[in-house]
Amino acid sequence: MTSKRIKKNKPNKRTNCAKLFIISGPSGAGKNAVVCGILKKLKNASRMVTCTTRKKRPNEKPGKDYYFLTEKEFKQRIKESDFLEWAIVHKKHYYGNSKKILEKLQKKYAIILLVIDVQGAKTIRKKALPHTSIFINAESEKKLISRIKKRKAMMSNESLKLRLASAAAEMKQAKKYDYQVTNYENRLDETIERVCAIIQKN
Ligand code: 5GP
């Protein structure tokens, strides 16, 4: 399926407030590829860069993929109530997104994509912050496992094991999301179209 350009969403002039879309899904579901595709199509959408205490991977850039913090720095930010939400993901590292960054993005963009795990989505649901949530999944657990294993070169065996363990638990949360989208193998464009359509509808 070829991708078509989709018309831009306009910022909400009355409230000057962008719409927030939470995107979650297990490791290997293809969330990042989907989000990259959305950003190419919707020029007034932005992905919120979040903070993490995990080590930078060789292909990642600070400030573009994540803000890489030490655990001490991260805990200090928790104390200062800097995070909209934060969580320990894959039982190992801290991840969180800054309220200040969200405020800045809200002034510039009509659509903000927040790619966070199921714990983060739960916190935002509890805070009753207006948003639309989308869960991206693979077509089967088997497919997911094989995709996670392909990332072997990018991460340690321990990280790989933790991601495999979290995937099953994360998939159980899918029904709590407003939308569930399956990212079928070799059909990325189609998935991007479907998620863009959801964004435009909301
Ligand atoms: P990775 O270490 O593979 O980049 O990301 C692991 C997971 O952390 C991803 O599933 C991603 O959605 C989640 N994540 C990234 N940033 C945040 C955040 O700010 N809050 C929460 N709760 N999860 C996050």
Side-chain angles (χ1 to χ4, degrees):
M1 190 184 190
T2 52
S3 37
K4 285 179 226 134
R5 186 160 203 97
I6 290 176
K7 78 170 169 19
K8 290 178 184 179
N9 272 15
K10 294 248 162 59
N12 182 338
K13 277 190 189 148
R14 202 159 47 90
T15 58
N16 195 23
C17 197
K19 288 184 177 170
L20 186 64
F21 291 85
I22 292 181
I23 301 193
S24 298
S27 231
K31 296 179 297 267
N32 288 331
V34 173
V35 167
C36 282
I38 297 169
L39 295 179
K40 280 185 191 151
K41 283 178 176 291
L42 305 178
K43 294 297 175 195
N44 59 350
S46 177
R47 176 193 183 143
M48 197 169 153
V49 178
T50 63
C51 304
T52 181
T53 59
R54 84 147 159 75
K55 286 219 166 67
K56 186 181 92 58
R57 294 179 191 140
N59 60 328
E60 290 179 327
K61 288 201 175 78
K64 183 172 177 280
D65 296 287
Y66 281 109
Y67 295 104
F68 295 95
L69 304 181
T70 62
E71 210 167 298
K72 196 174 163 204
E73 287 167 337
F74 198 101
K75 286 182 176 165
Q76 182 59 32
R77 294 220 190 168
I78 296 175
K79 261 196 205 159
E80 291 165 1
S81 304
D82 187 30
F83 293 118
L84 177 64
E85 68 75 33
W86 64 270
I88 297 174
V89 181
H90 304 316
K91 296 189 181 149
K92 197 153 168 68
H93 299 295
Y94 288 80
Y95 291 79
N97 43 81
S98 156
K99 289 179 202 163
K100 285 182 202 141
I101 295 174
L102 178 63
E103 279 165 19
K104 274 192 196 158
L105 288 179
Q106 280 175 328
K107 288 181 187 146
K108 274 179 82 179
Y109 294 93
I111 297 161
I112 295 165
L113 309 177
L114 187 50
V115 188
I116 56 174
D117 84 325
V118 293
Q119 304 173 78
K122 191 174 171 188
T123 306
I124 290 186
R125 234 175 271 134
K126 272 195 193 156
K127 287 191 172 175
L129 192 70
H131 70 277
T132 302
S133 60
I134 305 167
F135 192 90
I136 313 267
N137 214 339
E139 60 262 55
S140 67
E141 209 171 323
K142 202 174 148 200
K143 191 62 85 190
L144 201 66
I145 291 168
S146 89
R147 286 194 207 163
I148 297 175
K149 284 186 175 164
K150 277 187 198 152
R151 295 184 177 175
K152 217 173 175 171
M154 277 163 57
M155 59 184 84
S156 66
N157 268 345
E158 193 205 357
S159 302
L160 214 66
K161 271 188 199 153
L162 286 170
R163 277 165 176 75
L164 286 168
S166 311
E170 291 197 7
M171 278 151 80
K172 282 193 189 134
Q173 300 293 315
K175 51 185 179 303
K176 302 210 170 130
Y177 284 67
D178 300 319
Y179 297 89
Q180 295 170 37
V181 176
T182 303
N183 182 25
Y184 292 96
E185 190 79 2
N186 301 322
R187 284 164 61 185
L188 178 63
D189 280 353
E190 196 183 312
T191 311
I192 293 167
E193 288 282 343
R194 284 165 63 206
V195 180
C196 281
I198 292 170
I199 290 173
Q200 299 224 292
K201 197 160 83 175
N202 283 278

